[in-house]
Amino acid sequence: MNFEKYYVLDTNILLEDATNIYKLSQEGKNLIILPETVLDEIDTKKSGFEEINFQAREFARILENSIILESKKIDLYKIIRLKIDNDKNTIIDIISKEEYEVNIKNVSPNIINDRKILEIASFANTYYKNEVEFLSLDIMARTRAISLDIKTDALVGKDKDKFDYEFMKEVEIKFNDLEFLDNQEISKFDKEYKPFNFSYCFKVQSSDQIVLANIQNKRIRVLDEDEIRDQIVTPLNKEQLFFSDAILHHFYNVLIVEAKAGSGKTLLALSGALKLVRQKHFQKIIYIRNSIESLDKGEDVGYLPGLEEKFKIYNHPLMDSLDYIIRTEHKRKRNKKTPDQAVIELEDSEVTSRIEQMIANYGIETMWVGEMRGRTLSNAFIIIDEAQNMSNKTMQMVLSRIDNSCKVVILGSNKQIDNFYVNKYTNALTTLLKSTKNENNLVNSFAIKLQKVLRGPITEWAEEIFSK
């Protein structure tokens, strides 16, 4: 059989999405080569409730539908050719070896497995008539492959183009336009308007005056800054004002935010959520954080009653935000009541007590992705944090749990990817940001980048020197 391309897959390619095997095969045009070690590693991931466990089981189901076309032995290697019995015509060669050359002394198991996989890739590179390409999300494995003269690449999604959509624009207007600016069609002021231009700074000619507005149904909606600032956490710059307006305005039901560390994304999302629950627009607040810790520790803590208590450590961003909100609200009330007196800080025990009361009063819940299958989330303000560590399949599963009575805010930063199974091209945050390129009639989405660091000078300094 003749193939256009020959792909040797690393384990992480299939654990990112089991159906990648179909996408790479392109209906049988390309040959998929799987070292036996890949199958062993996938087998160890089948137990559990995380997305990678689901993908491992999904791949096992794919293999169940295969038929053996041939089996042959070449020196120390054995090659079994399979065809997936469906309409996609996917052909797989599984290659094993009787004895590997890798020295297992003083080497960790994952490195041993990587080297076994690359031994098979090296053999495949000489056995097949065309050069093979080793695909992996692991830069160390790819670097090792290059040293062995094996062509290599990552899974980079549909394109490698740098994503830099202009979510916020600045446009100059005449003074006479001010009076009738609200509710005007954006095309009258910006002929180059695109669906992903969600926010505008209208600068008045020959003046320092700037009017902020978000776009709804291609019409200008001038921000009511007094109403936006009427919440526990006050927006401090125009980016935060745009974001807070989108949170509080009922037009938008999906918000996608890429933000630097310390930019206030979680605080603002939670502050807006509290205001909307207080106004009876939602019954509860659900915080979902897909941390790499929860990915790694799921099996360690056990899937038993009391799981939320065990995972409390992984919800520190939520708890820190609640702590800040309680202390800020206390200071504000004291300053209003006795403006001439210094505010006495709350004791930690009192803050903890008030946090527990707020959680009860506002119906604040925490979830992790492993417990979401089969759930339906209704009448809730939902915050999904650390979206850069979610695969597309994980995000699809989470969002498919949410009905039309909810509002969802998705937060993340592509500078803080910790998940071994995704990269900046394939993670869910990037996919969602790119989805704003075209109009969508199913949801009213909003996207913004929060670039200004407000946590403090140390955070800003760290962002500056380590992001070059």
Side-chain angles (χ1 to χ4, degrees):
M1 299 178 71
N2 295 318
F3 301 94
E4 292 181 8
K5 295 181 179 180
Y6 294 74
Y7 290 126
V8 178
L9 304 190
D10 198 358
T11 311
N12 49 55
I13 297 294
L14 297 171
L15 291 179
E16 194 267 343
D17 184 351
T19 62
N20 279 335
I21 200 164
Y22 296 137
K23 298 170 188 174
L24 293 167
S25 169
Q26 292 188 325
E27 297 185 342
K29 292 180 182 178
N30 306 322
L31 177 66
I32 305 299
I33 303 162
L34 298 180
E36 62 175 340
T37 306
V38 169
L39 301 184
D40 293 339
E41 289 187 328
I42 289 175
D43 193 50
T44 65
K45 298 291 186 182
K46 288 194 299 183
S47 298
F49 298 92
E50 267 298 342
E51 185 61 28
I52 58 170
N53 309 126
F54 172 79
Q55 295 301 332
R57 293 192 291 271
E58 183 66 18
F59 182 72
R61 284 189 284 270
I62 289 172
L63 282 189
E64 282 179 0
N65 293 322
S66 64
I67 56 175
I68 298 176
L69 298 180
E70 63 175 317
S71 177
K72 56 185 171 183
K73 192 171 183 182
I74 309 294
D75 298 327
L76 297 175
Y77 299 88
K78 186 174 183 180
I79 304 172
I80 300 175
R81 176 158 292 183
L82 306 177
K83 180 181 180 182
I84 306 300
D85 191 17
N86 57 22
D87 59 353
K88 299 186 184 298
N89 298 315
T90 302
I91 304 295
I92 304 171
D93 276 1
I94 297 175
I95 305 179
S96 58
K97 189 178 182 184
E98 292 180 1
E99 188 174 341
Y100 289 89
E101 298 173 8
V102 58
N103 183 355
I104 64 173
K105 292 182 179 178
N106 301 319
V107 181
S108 64
N110 64 309
I111 294 177
I112 292 172
N113 285 346
D114 283 350
R115 294 186 179 178
K116 285 181 178 180
I117 290 169
L118 290 175
E119 272 192 48
I120 298 297
S122 294
F123 163 75
N125 213 23
T126 58
Y127 173 72
Y128 296 102
K129 65 178 183 179
N130 291 347
E131 184 181 28
V132 304
E133 187 169 356
F134 175 63
L135 299 183
S136 176
L137 299 177
D138 181 1
I139 182 60
M140 301 306 291
R142 297 202 307 271
T143 303
R144 177 69 175 164
I146 293 170
S147 72
L148 297 172
D149 295 323
I150 301 170
K151 186 179 178 182
T152 183
D153 203 351
L155 197 66
V156 295
K158 294 181 180 178
D159 59 73
K160 297 183 182 181
D161 296 337
K162 184 179 179 181
F163 176 74
D164 191 23
Y165 293 136
E166 198 173 8
F167 296 133
M168 184 173 64
K169 292 184 74 174
E170 186 171 299
V171 172
E172 196 172 74
I173 61 172
K174 298 176 181 178
F175 179 80
N176 294 338
D177 294 327
L178 276 177
E179 185 178 356
F180 304 104
L181 184 64
D182 195 36
N183 204 32
Q184 291 289 314
E185 291 185 4
I186 183 60
S187 58
K188 292 181 180 179
F189 301 91
D190 183 11
K191 302 296 183 184
E192 299 178 355
Y193 164 76
K194 298 289 191 301
F196 51 83
N197 301 142
F198 294 103
S199 304
Y200 278 80
C201 300
F202 291 103
K203 188 178 185 305
V204 181
Q205 290 178 357
S206 304
S207 168
D208 294 331
Q209 187 175 359
I210 293 177
V211 178
L212 304 181
N214 280 332
I215 306 302
Q216 298 175 14
N217 287 330
K218 301 181 183 179
R219 290 186 176 274
I220 298 167
R221 300 294 184 184
V222 175
L223 269 58
D224 183 346
E225 296 187 27
D226 291 335
E227 174 63 25
I228 295 169
R229 288 190 169 94
D230 183 22
Q231 56 179 312
I232 299 171
V233 178
T234 304
L236 298 177
N237 55 50
K238 61 186 178 183
E239 295 172 344
Q240 290 195 347
L241 282 166
F242 288 134
F243 178 36
S244 290
D245 177 72
I247 289 173
L248 298 173
H249 209 289
H250 306 306
F251 174 80
Y252 307 104
N253 51 8
V254 177
L255 281 65
I256 309 154
V257 184
E258 182 175 20
K260 288 185 177 181
S263 59
K265 58 185 183 297
T266 307
L267 262 179
L268 285 170
L270 189 56
S271 177
L274 292 169
K275 182 173 181 176
L276 291 173
V277 171
R278 190 163 56 246
Q279 293 173 342
K280 309 296 184 184
H281 294 297
F282 301 100
Q283 290 182 348
K284 57 190 173 183
I285 300 167
I286 298 176
Y287 178 80
I288 302 166
R289 180 171 181 250
N290 192 65
S291 65
I292 193 64
E293 296 98 328
S294 67
L295 279 170
D296 290 342
K297 300 296 184 184
E299 291 184 52
D300 293 344
V301 301
Y303 303 98
L304 299 170
L307 187 63
E308 185 169 330
E309 183 66 27
K310 296 173 184 178
F311 270 86
K312 184 177 285 188
I313 187 174
Y314 307 122
N315 292 319
H316 278 321
L318 172 66
M319 304 310 293
D320 289 345
S321 296
L322 290 174
D323 184 291
Y324 179 89
I325 284 170
I326 292 295
R327 294 181 189 276
T328 300
E329 195 170 30
H330 168 72
K331 289 178 183 177
R332 182 175 297 172
K333 287 180 177 178
R334 287 296 179 186
N335 282 330
K336 191 174 182 179
K337 190 174 181 179
T338 53
D340 298 329
Q341 296 181 15
V343 177
I344 299 174
E345 289 284 347
L346 289 172
E347 296 288 337
D348 288 347
S349 59
E350 177 61 21
V351 172
T352 300
S353 175
R354 293 192 185 189
I355 287 175
E356 291 174 355
Q357 189 62 49
M358 178 174 279
I359 288 172
N361 291 345
Y362 288 89
I364 301 173
E365 303 176 19
T366 59
M367 289 186 181
W368 63 292
V369 295
E371 63 177 315
M372 294 197 66
R373 293 190 184 279
R375 299 286 301 272
T376 299
L377 307 183
S378 301
N379 205 8
F381 188 105
I382 298 168
I383 301 170
I384 302 175
D385 208 352
E386 304 288 345
Q388 78 279 357
N389 285 324
M390 283 190 179
S391 70
N392 290 329
K393 285 289 184 179
T394 298
M395 184 62 77
Q396 181 184 10
M397 183 272 292
V398 171
L399 293 178
S400 67
R401 304 296 100 202
I402 300 169
D403 74 11
N404 61 2
S405 65
C406 296
K407 185 175 192 128
V408 57
V409 177
I410 300 159
L411 310 172
S413 170
N414 271 325
K415 294 181 179 179
Q416 296 178 303
I417 298 173
D418 303 310
N419 188 347
F420 179 74
Y421 299 101
V422 298
N423 58 36
K424 65 181 179 180
Y425 300 107
T426 64
N427 71 63
L429 177 64
T430 296
T431 300
L432 288 168
L433 290 168
K434 285 186 174 182
S435 74
T436 64
K437 182 176 182 179
N438 302 310
E439 289 187 53
N440 191 311
N441 296 322
L442 296 174
V443 298
N444 293 321
S445 60
F446 175 90
I448 195 168
K449 291 185 178 182
L450 300 183
Q451 305 281 16
K452 296 186 183 297
V453 177
L454 301 172
R455 183 173 292 156
I458 295 176
T459 302
E460 186 173 8
W461 170 71
E463 281 284 337
E464 183 179 312
I465 66 169
F466 292 117
S467 297
K468 292 179 180 178

